[in-house]
Amino acid sequence: MSLHRHPPLLLCLLSSAICTLTPVTADAASDKISSSKKKISQSADPARPTMLGASAPTDEHITVSGHTHNLGNGDTGRAFGGGLMTPTDAPKSVSAVTRDYIAKQNPALNPMQLIQLLPGANVSDTDPLGMTGGHISVRGLTESQMGFSLEGFPINDIGNFAVYPQEIVDSENLKTVRLAQGSADLDSPHIGASGGVVDMYMIDPKTKTGGHASLTYGSYNSTRGFARFDTGYIGNTNLRAYFSYSQSRQDHWRGPGWDGKRHAEMKVVNDWGHGNRISLAIVGNSQTNYSYPNVSMASWKKWGTGFTNPVGSSGLKAGDPPNTVYEKHYVPGDSNYYKLRPGPFNNIYASMPSTFRLTDRLTLTETPYFWYGYGNGGGAYSTNMSAISWGGQTLSGSINGQTAPGKVMLFNPSVTETYRPGSVTKLTLSTGINRLMIGYWFEYAKQRQSAPYSPVGNDGTPINIWGDTNRLILSNGDMYQYRNTLTQTQVHTPFIGDSLSLLNGKLTIDAGFRYAIVTRRGTNDLPDVSQKYISQTYRQSLPTAAIRYKINDHNQIFASVSTSFRTPQNYALYDAGTYTAGAGYSTKANPDQRPEVSISEEAGWRYQDDLISSSLTYFHYNFTNRLFQQTQVNENGQIWATNINAGGQHSDGFDAEIGTRPMHHIRPYLSVEYLHAITDSNLPASSGSVTDYMHTKGKHTPQSPSWQVGFGLQYDDGARFIGFDLKYVARQYATFMNDQHIPGYVRMNINMGYRLPKFGIFKSPTIQLNLQNLSDQHYLNWINSPQVNATTQKGIFGNTIAGTSPNYTIASPFAAIATISSDF
C-alpha cells in the first residue's frame, strides 16, 4: 500500500469540517454559538461506565464550557486531590491527573513524570526538565509493554514499542493523563500493550481570543519559553484553534553535554449540531540530546554520580570497574567522547479524532492519524578501513574516495525512519438500555533502520550528527552498515462490544471481543544473513468482560477480566551486528516467537461524594510467553544476543487511592500499591560453552517494587498556593535470580506560587517555584538491562554460570525551577 493514499483522507475530513462552517448574520451569531455550546454540553448519549471504547477524546464527553473557576492555565482549584484524582464509573482500575495538578508543576515535565504519584506508577527520570525521557513500570511491566496514546492515536515505536515521553506534548496543552493499570480499552490502537495503557488528551481551543505565555529558568542553566495563541471562534462560525511554540535548553548535571528542544503544536476544533465534532491536532518536535551514561553497580559504588575517572579508558587501574563516563575532551581512539553520543530526532504527529451523530441513536467515531519520525542514537567505533568484515568477506572502504591507513574513529549512529498512517473507526448504536459498538483499526507502517559509518573530525565531532552524508563505501560498492532493515507492519483489528444498563442504571454489564491480525514483512540487506526476507503473521483473540454495580449514590463495586497481547519486537526478526566466521552475527534472528499474552482480573470498590473520592482495587495478572533478550555463548566461546521466550509471570496485589476537594483550601491525596510479582519459569543461561537453567521459578520479577506510596498535599486560597509531593518506591530486583537490586528511595518535591492581580492584557500573572528532589537524594532509579544472574550461580544441572552485570540509570538531583506565566 502506498503511503500517499493516506493524506487525502485527512484532507477530506478537514474539508468536511470547513463545509460545515455555514456563515450566519451578525445579529444571529451570538445566539448560534450559545446554542451550539448548550447542545455540546448536553450530550444525548451521556457517558456510561464501560471498558468498550474510551480512547478517542470525544469518548470522554468533556463539555466545552461550564461553571467552573479558572485560576489561570486551566487550574480550577476544585479538583479532587489537587488534580490527582477524577471521579469515574469505569468497571476497572483507572487513575488520572488533570489541569489542577499539571498547572502547578515544572512546565517542562513530560507526561510520565506527571503521573508518578498515581497507584503503581514506578517512574524514573535522568534530568530536571525531563528532556532525556524516562521510564515507567506498572505492575512489573515496563513502558514497552504498555500502550501510550495521544488524542486517540498510538505513540509507541511500532518496532520495539519504546516510548520517548520528551517528544509527546507540552504540559501547558495537556488536559488529562489517564492511567489504566491493568488493561486497554477494546478500541485501543496498540499491538504492544500486554500491560496497561496511558491515554493523553490535549486541551481544547478557547472560545474567546487569548492565549498563555510562560518563561522558565532554573538549575543547570535550564531555560524554557512557551507561548500559545487561541483564535477564539473564527468569524461567525464554530471553528476555533490554537497554535503554540516552546523552546528549551539545559546543561547536563552529570558530566559534559546539553539538551535542546523546539516544539510546536496546534489544535483545530469545530462543533456543531447535537454532538457532532471534528478536531485536528498536530504536534511537531525537534530535539538534540547527549546521552547520560548508565552505570554498573560496581561503578556506582566506586564513583557514585561523580566524573572522577581518568580521561580515557586507558587511564583506569587494574581492578577498577568499567569506565562509564563520557569524556569532556576528545582523546584520539577513545569512543567515550560525549559529542560522539548525540541523539537528534525530528518527529511529527497528526490526528483527526471526529464524531458524527448520524441519528439520535447512531454515532460514528473516526480517528485517522499519521506519525513520522527520523533520527538516531549516536555511537562510534575505531575501524580499520583497509580490512572491514562484510559478512564472510574482508573488504576495504573509503569516504569520498579516500582511504585512511590503520584504524580511524568513525561515527556509527543507529538511524530510524518511520512512516505510520492508520485509522480507528467505530459505530455506536444506543437503544435504550443497550449500547452496541462495532469498529475496525487499520494501520500500515514502514520503518527503515540502518547504522551507517561516517567521518569524525580531528576534534572528535561527527561531521554530520544525522549520519546521512559522507558515508563509508566498501570496495564492492556497498554502504558499510551495522544493521540495514526495512520492516512493514500491517495491522487489522476488528472489534465488537455490547454494554447493557439495568436496574435504572445501577447495574452495567460489558462484553467485548477483538481479533488482532498483525503481519510483519521485513528485508535484511546485510550480507550472509540467515534470512534475507521475513514474513510473520500473528493472530490473537482478545475477549473482555466487566460488571459494575452502583450500591447507592456514593458506593459502587466492579469486576473485570481482560486479555491483552504484545507482538514480538521487530529486531527479533533480523541478524545484526558483527560477523564471525562459523558463528554468524552477534545478534541472531529468532522470528518464530509467539506474542506475549496477558490475562488481567480486577475487582474493586469506590466511594465518591462531593468531598471525598476513593477507590480500592485487587488485581491478579497472568503473563505468558514473556519475550526476553539474552546473551548466549556457543561451544567455541563465541558470543551473541538473541530473543527467547522466558515463560510466564503472575502478579497479585492491590491499588488504593483517596483524595478530597478543598477543605479550608487544603486538598490531600494518597495512593498505595502492594505488588507480588513472581516469575513462573526457570530461565536458560550460558557461561562459556556451558548452558543450563537457573532457579528463577518462584522468585520476584525484576523492576517490580513490592510497595509504592504516593502522597500529595496542596494548599490554594486563590492567590497563594503551595504543594508537597512524596513518592516512596521499595527496592527493585535487577536480576531474575534476585542476586542484585537497587535500594528503595523517597523523593520529595515542593511547588509554590503567587497569583498577582490582573493588569493590562495579563489576566492571571503567576510567579511559581518548583523544587525537585528536595533532599538531593542520590540514588539509582531504573534497571536498564535486567539479567538472569549478576553473580556466579549454580544451575539446575549443577553447572557453574558466571553472572552478567545489569546497568542502571541515576536519578536527577535537586533542582530549583522558577516560572512566570499568565493567560492573556
Side-chain angles (χ1 to χ4, degrees):
M1 178 180 291
S2 170
L3 293 174
H4 298 291
R5 295 177 61 183
H6 292 272
L9 177 60
L10 297 176
L11 294 176
C12 180
L13 287 176
L14 184 58
S15 297
S16 67
I18 295 173
C19 290
T20 64
L21 308 180
T22 52
V24 298
T25 64
D27 292 336
S30 60
D31 289 338
K32 178 190 175 194
I33 294 171
S34 176
S35 175
S36 296
K37 288 189 286 185
K38 182 178 180 180
K39 289 178 180 178
I40 294 165
S41 61
Q42 296 176 349
S43 172
D45 183 20
R48 292 210 308 238
T50 183
M51 61 191 301
L52 300 184
S55 293
T58 49
D59 294 319
E60 287 210 315
H61 297 269
I62 292 179
T63 59
V64 174
S65 61
H67 300 287
T68 59
H69 297 88
N70 186 355
L71 302 176
N73 201 13
D75 185 357
T76 69
R78 295 288 303 164
F80 284 101
L84 286 162
M85 283 194 77
T86 57
T88 180
D89 284 335
K92 63 176 183 177
S93 58
V94 177
S95 303
V97 298
T98 65
R99 289 301 311 164
D100 277 41
Y101 179 77
I102 296 170
K104 293 182 173 71
Q105 306 311 302
N106 169 3
L109 295 186
N110 64 57
M112 277 188 191
Q113 292 169 296
L114 291 171
I115 62 173
Q116 62 183 336
L117 296 184
L118 298 185
N122 176 23
V123 177
S124 74
D125 67 357
T126 53
D127 69 276
L129 294 193
M131 292 175 62
T132 52
H135 298 281
I136 184 174
S137 71
V138 176
R139 297 180 185 174
L141 304 179
T142 68
E143 71 271 9
S144 67
Q145 295 164 291
M146 301 176 64
F148 281 71
S149 65
L150 175 69
E151 290 290 289
F153 71 95
I155 57 174
N156 298 71
D157 184 278
I158 186 61
N160 64 4
F161 312 123
V163 180
Y164 306 98
Q166 70 273 30
E167 301 173 359
I168 299 173
V169 63
D170 277 333
S171 68
E172 290 91 343
N173 294 337
L174 194 55
K175 175 175 61 182
T176 307
V177 186
R178 187 180 66 190
L179 170 64
Q181 290 92 340
S183 63
D185 291 317
L186 198 64
D187 65 339
S188 292
H190 300 293
I191 62 171
S194 52
V197 293
V198 175
D199 294 315
M200 291 159 281
Y201 303 100
M202 299 168 67
I203 63 172
D204 277 353
K206 295 178 180 178
T207 57
K208 295 182 179 180
T209 303
H212 182 83
S214 68
L215 292 172
T216 298
Y217 179 77
S219 303
Y220 311 106
N221 292 319
S222 302
T223 58
R224 182 179 184 270
F226 172 88
R228 180 182 68 240
F229 172 70
D230 287 82
T231 64
Y233 285 117
I234 299 175
N236 297 326
T237 73
N238 285 337
L239 186 69
R240 60 197 194 278
Y242 66 70
F243 306 87
S244 71
Y245 176 80
S246 69
Q247 188 162 332
S248 311
R249 190 192 183 282
Q250 66 179 351
D251 293 334
H252 278 201
W253 67 270
R254 177 174 175 259
W258 54 271
D259 309 307
K261 173 181 173 182
R262 292 176 296 168
H263 191 92
E265 299 174 8
M266 66 169 285
K267 186 173 183 180
V268 184
V269 172
N270 183 39
D271 304 277
W272 77 97
H274 202 51
N276 296 288
R277 174 186 174 95
I278 291 180
S279 65
L280 172 65
I282 300 177
V283 177
N285 191 80
S286 179
Q287 190 159 333
T288 299
N289 292 333
Y290 287 94
S291 301
Y292 282 98
N294 299 322
V295 296
S296 66
M297 188 62 71
S299 295
W300 169 250
K301 289 180 178 179
K302 185 174 181 64
W303 307 110
T305 62
F307 270 69
T308 57
N309 295 33
V311 173
S313 57
S314 60
L316 292 174
K317 302 179 180 64
D320 278 353
N323 187 2
T324 57
V325 303
Y326 295 156
E327 281 86 25
K328 184 176 183 180
H329 304 288
Y330 180 59
V331 177
D334 186 3
S335 63
N336 280 340
Y337 181 46
Y338 82 95
K339 287 189 178 180
L340 293 173
R341 307 281 177 165
F345 208 89
N346 290 336
N347 57 293
I348 186 167
Y349 310 134
S351 174
M352 187 178 283
S354 305
T355 294
F356 306 94
R357 185 167 293 279
L358 306 180
T359 71
D360 288 342
R361 297 181 177 181
L362 186 63
T363 301
L364 170 66
T365 303
E366 178 76 24
T367 307
Y369 60 86
F370 182 75
W371 195 110
Y372 173 77
Y374 179 78
N376 69 63
Y381 293 92
S382 184
T383 305
N384 186 345
M385 294 175 60
S386 300
I388 296 174
S389 175
W390 187 236
Q393 307 175 69
T394 300
L395 304 172
S396 61
S398 63
I399 297 175
N400 295 328
Q402 299 181 349
T403 300
K407 287 191 173 183
V408 295
M409 185 61 63
L410 295 177
F411 183 51
N412 180 224
S414 177
V415 181
T416 298
E417 185 172 27
T418 302
Y419 296 86
R420 190 177 182 186
S423 184
V424 181
T425 304
K426 61 186 182 185
L427 280 168
T428 304
L429 177 64
S430 299
T431 55
I433 63 173
N434 193 70
R435 182 168 58 179
L436 175 68
M437 182 188 71
I438 58 173
Y440 194 84
W441 169 39
F442 172 77
E443 180 176 294
Y444 184 73
K446 291 185 177 181
Q447 188 172 67
R448 166 69 71 179
Q449 296 177 293
S450 58
Y453 291 77
S454 58
V456 172
N458 293 331
D459 62 353
T461 303
I463 300 300
N464 181 347
I465 64 172
W466 296 94
D468 53 11
T469 60
N470 301 314
R471 292 174 170 177
L472 189 153
I473 305 299
L474 298 170
S475 55
N476 67 351
D478 290 343
M479 183 187 302
Y480 183 40
Q481 303 208 64
Y482 188 84
R483 67 172 183 174
N484 187 13
T485 64
L486 173 65
T487 307
Q488 301 179 69
T489 302
Q490 197 169 39
V491 181
H492 297 273
T493 304
F495 52 88
I496 183 170
D498 192 75
S499 179
L500 187 64
S501 180
L502 302 171
L503 304 178
N504 294 319
K506 285 189 173 184
L507 177 65
T508 302
I509 302 173
D510 280 359
F513 179 82
R514 59 176 171 159
Y515 187 67
I517 306 171
V518 182
T519 299
R520 290 202 195 265
R521 296 185 178 91
T523 303
N524 191 347
D525 289 327
L526 293 181
D528 302 325
V529 294
S530 58
Q531 288 182 272
K532 182 175 179 64
Y533 301 104
I534 302 290
S535 180
Q536 286 288 338
T537 297
Y538 311 95
R539 294 178 172 87
Q540 190 66 48
S541 299
L542 302 166
T544 184
I547 186 170
R548 187 226 61 171
Y549 181 71
K550 196 170 183 180
I551 300 171
N552 54 40
D553 289 342
H554 302 310
N555 291 277
Q556 59 182 259
I557 55 176
F558 62 89
S560 67
V561 58
S562 179
T563 307
S564 303
F565 86 120
R566 183 177 75 148
T567 61
Q569 296 166 311
N570 67 341
Y571 64 73
L573 302 175
Y574 307 111
D575 296 336
T578 56
Y579 185 90
T580 303
Y585 283 89
S586 56
T587 298
K588 294 188 179 299
N590 187 5
D592 297 325
Q593 295 178 317
R594 299 173 63 186
E596 298 175 340
V597 178
S598 65
I599 300 176
S600 62
E601 298 149 348
E602 295 183 329
W605 162 80
R606 293 191 186 97
Y607 177 86
Q608 298 172 152
D609 62 24
D610 292 338
L611 180 62
I612 297 173
S613 180
S614 63
S615 69
L616 175 65
T617 305
Y618 164 78
F619 59 83
H620 177 75
Y621 193 79
N622 278 310
F623 193 65
T624 58
N625 299 324
R626 178 161 186 173
L627 303 182
F628 178 61
Q629 189 177 59
Q630 185 189 51
T631 299
Q632 296 186 352
V633 184
N634 68 8
E635 63 275 7
N636 298 319
Q638 294 162 326
I639 301 173
W640 69 87
T642 188
N643 286 268
I644 65 171
N645 186 331
Q649 171 187 322
H650 75 271
S651 302
D652 290 279
F654 69 84
D655 291 330
E657 61 180 338
I658 183 171
T660 76
R661 291 197 190 274
M663 300 181 296
H664 304 287
H665 308 302
I666 297 174
R667 289 179 288 175
Y669 170 82
L670 177 68
S671 71
V672 178
E673 179 178 272
Y674 170 72
L675 172 66
H676 185 65
I678 299 297
T679 302
D680 295 332
S681 305
N682 290 318
L683 301 186
S686 298
S687 180
S689 60
V690 177
T691 299
D692 205 334
Y693 284 82
M694 306 304 292
H695 296 273
T696 56
K697 183 177 181 179
K699 295 189 180 296
H700 288 273
T701 305
Q703 288 172 327
S704 304
S706 295
W707 288 97
Q708 293 187 70
V709 177
F711 175 70
L713 185 64
Q714 185 181 118
Y715 173 88
D716 190 337
D717 64 8
R720 296 169 293 272
F721 62 87
I722 182 169
F724 173 77
D725 294 345
L726 179 149
K727 184 64 184 266
Y728 165 73
V729 180
R731 72 176 177 178
Q732 302 173 61
Y733 288 108
T735 67
F736 287 88
M737 282 295 292
N738 296 170
D739 57 353
Q740 193 170 109
H741 70 273
I742 58 177
Y745 62 85
V746 174
R747 186 181 181 94
M748 296 178 287
N749 305 314
I750 283 181
N751 66 78
M752 61 186 76
Y754 185 76
R755 300 183 182 97
L756 300 168
K758 174 183 176 181
F759 66 94
I761 65 170
F762 300 105
K763 298 179 180 178
S764 57
T766 303
I767 302 173
Q768 179 175 318
L769 177 65
N770 292 91
L771 304 177
Q772 299 173 192
N773 193 355
L774 189 63
S775 58
D776 198 23
Q777 289 274 77
H778 295 167
Y779 60 94
L780 302 175
N781 66 350
W782 190 254
I783 305 152
N784 288 290
S785 60
Q787 302 293 334
V788 176
N789 55 302
T791 60
T792 300
Q793 300 277 353
K794 289 285 187 180
I796 289 176
F797 302 119
N799 296 300
T800 299
I801 305 296
T804 301
S805 178
N807 63 70
Y808 307 91
T809 293
I810 301 175
S812 63
F814 170 80
I817 309 295
T819 302
I820 57 173
S821 64
S822 181
D823 290 343
F824 58 85

